[in-house]
Amino acid sequence: MSESPAINFGMVGLGRMGANLVRRLQRAGITSVVYDINADVVRTLAAEGSRPSFSYSELVKSISTPRTIWVMVPAPLTKAAIAELSSYMSPGDTIIDGGNTHYRDDYSNAEFLRDKGINFVDVGTSGGVHGLERGYSLMIGGDANVVKSLTPIFHALSPGVSSAERTPGRTGEPSHSEEGFLHCGPVGAGHYVKMIHNGIEYAMMAAFAEGLGILSAAKDADPAFDLDIPEITQVWRRGSVVASWLLDLTNQALEENPFLDAYATQVSDSGEGRWTVQAAIESGVPAPVLSASLFSRFASRGNDDYSNKILNAMRFQFGGHNEHPKGQ
């Protein structure tokens, strides 16, 4: 009986993204050793063909050298995870941070690992819960030779050139960017590009939300208007300048729940929108649309209640206008 082939790839963090990254790699013939603090999800992935581990030590011992371990945990937990994981690893191994870490934290993580002889690569990962089927757009930072050695992993995870029509004028062998992954530059560059990507995403979402909000209130413009928002988003999907995957998802949500009564009015922000605005300030680059989209999320959580009370107080003082609190 022949021995099982050596496995030199591991995944730490089996949430919605991490688990599906493992599954997509499995489809491409790359088996992973997996670890998560939730032992049940480890067992679930093991039943699907991955090799389970239940501690960082077991994870590292189960992987052949040179090891590559992808860390996919929330940004506040990443530094501690890298520190503990690296204590069991060997020079020449590589840690990939695929989460939404701030790019400046990549510098310190890379320096910490460099002293141990361990490589560090940051990968901004976009694709969400649909990445298993669609593939992931990967924005990569790190040493060029190290990144090149990881190309089979990035190829397996990315959507491939067939996921979009080639840009007119592009001929010959497709570039990595056309495949869906790009080495953006040195350590930190991948997460920096992903940060700006997410800032743009905030603004695109806000534009759709505001436009559809105006359509929803169209009866104020003309009482005869009773516009069907799901059908409008449906027609926009075909031939419209604003057609996009984001519009596809918006239409799907409206088809499933036309009155949106399954959704809250408060909108969270993951942090990358804030970082994008901070980067704009530091660079002196005007970003009024991106900034407004972030601030609108703050407002959705009632963070402007005090300011609005001040506005009403001033209107009452100079004009005698008084908006009474609800219920009074």
Side-chain angles (χ1 to χ4, degrees):
M1 180 173 162
S2 61
E3 294 185 4
S4 300
I7 302 174
N8 63 4
F9 183 83
M11 178 68 70
V12 172
L14 303 174
R16 288 175 294 179
M17 291 282 281
N20 279 348
L21 287 166
V22 168
R23 292 183 175 109
R24 189 165 176 89
L25 288 171
Q26 184 79 14
R27 292 180 180 183
I30 299 175
T31 301
S32 308
V33 181
V34 297
Y35 169 75
D36 192 277
I37 57 172
N38 183 341
D40 289 339
V41 297
V42 173
R43 296 187 184 97
T44 296
L45 267 295
E48 297 176 18
S50 298
R51 184 176 296 178
S53 65
F54 298 95
S55 68
Y56 283 135
S57 174
E58 183 183 0
L59 172 78
V60 174
K61 289 178 181 177
S62 301
I63 302 174
S64 303
T65 56
R67 307 173 181 93
T68 298
I69 301 180
W70 187 303
V71 177
M72 202 69 174
V73 299
L77 306 179
T78 300
K79 185 174 183 178
I82 288 174
E84 183 176 355
L85 181 65
S86 66
S87 67
Y88 301 104
M89 296 176 70
S90 306
D93 290 348
T94 299
I95 288 180
I96 298 173
D97 176 5
N100 285 330
T101 302
H102 194 284
Y103 73 96
R104 286 202 174 103
D105 291 335
D106 292 332
Y107 303 157
S108 58
N109 287 331
E111 184 177 359
F112 172 79
L113 293 175
R114 190 180 301 116
D115 291 341
K116 295 173 174 284
I118 299 172
N119 305 311
F120 177 82
V121 173
D122 56 286
V123 179
T125 309
S126 181
V129 295
H130 298 276
L132 175 60
E133 301 300 333
R134 291 172 56 95
Y136 298 88
S137 177
L138 306 174
M139 295 142 269
I140 306 161
D143 177 81
N145 290 327
V146 175
V147 171
K148 184 178 180 180
S149 72
L150 301 172
T151 296
I153 293 171
F154 301 141
H155 259 300
L157 292 174
S158 61
V161 69
S162 63
S163 62
E165 292 186 11
R166 296 194 78 180
T167 303
R170 289 232 176 189
T171 58
E173 189 72 18
S175 65
H176 286 167
S177 63
E178 291 179 282
E179 295 284 352
F181 65 98
L182 178 67
H183 181 210
C184 300
V187 164
H191 278 151
Y192 189 89
V193 173
K194 176 59 162 49
M195 175 183 75
I196 304 305
H197 165 283
N198 281 22
I200 294 170
E201 180 183 298
Y202 276 43
M204 292 175 65
M205 293 172 70
F208 275 122
E210 291 178 10
L212 296 179
I214 296 169
L215 290 175
S216 179
K219 283 188 175 181
D220 294 339
D222 188 326
F225 287 173
D226 187 13
L227 302 179
D228 189 326
I229 308 300
E231 288 301 301
I232 291 169
T233 56
Q234 189 68 251
V235 74
W236 283 356
R237 293 179 61 215
R238 291 166 172 82
S240 163
V241 172
V242 299
S244 63
W245 185 41
L246 191 56
L247 180 61
D248 294 344
L249 296 175
T250 304
N251 176 255
Q252 182 178 341
L254 288 165
E255 294 282 350
E256 295 170 353
N257 194 260
F259 299 105
L260 302 177
D261 49 17
Y263 299 97
T265 56
Q266 297 183 359
V267 185
S268 299
D269 68 287
S270 62
E272 296 218 328
R274 301 185 189 211
W275 300 343
T276 300
V277 172
Q278 290 169 354
I281 293 169
E282 291 169 2
S283 302
V285 175
V289 175
L290 273 63
S291 301
S293 67
L294 174 65
F295 294 145
S296 71
R297 295 196 182 195
F298 296 166
S300 77
R301 303 198 291 268
N303 293 346
D304 60 349
D305 285 355
Y306 185 81
S307 301
N308 290 333
K309 289 180 179 180
I310 290 291
L311 288 172
N312 275 316
M314 288 187 288
R315 291 185 74 236
F316 177 73
Q317 290 298 324
F318 68 68
H321 310 287
N322 189 13
E323 301 285 347
H324 294 284
K326 289 182 178 180
Q328 294 188 17

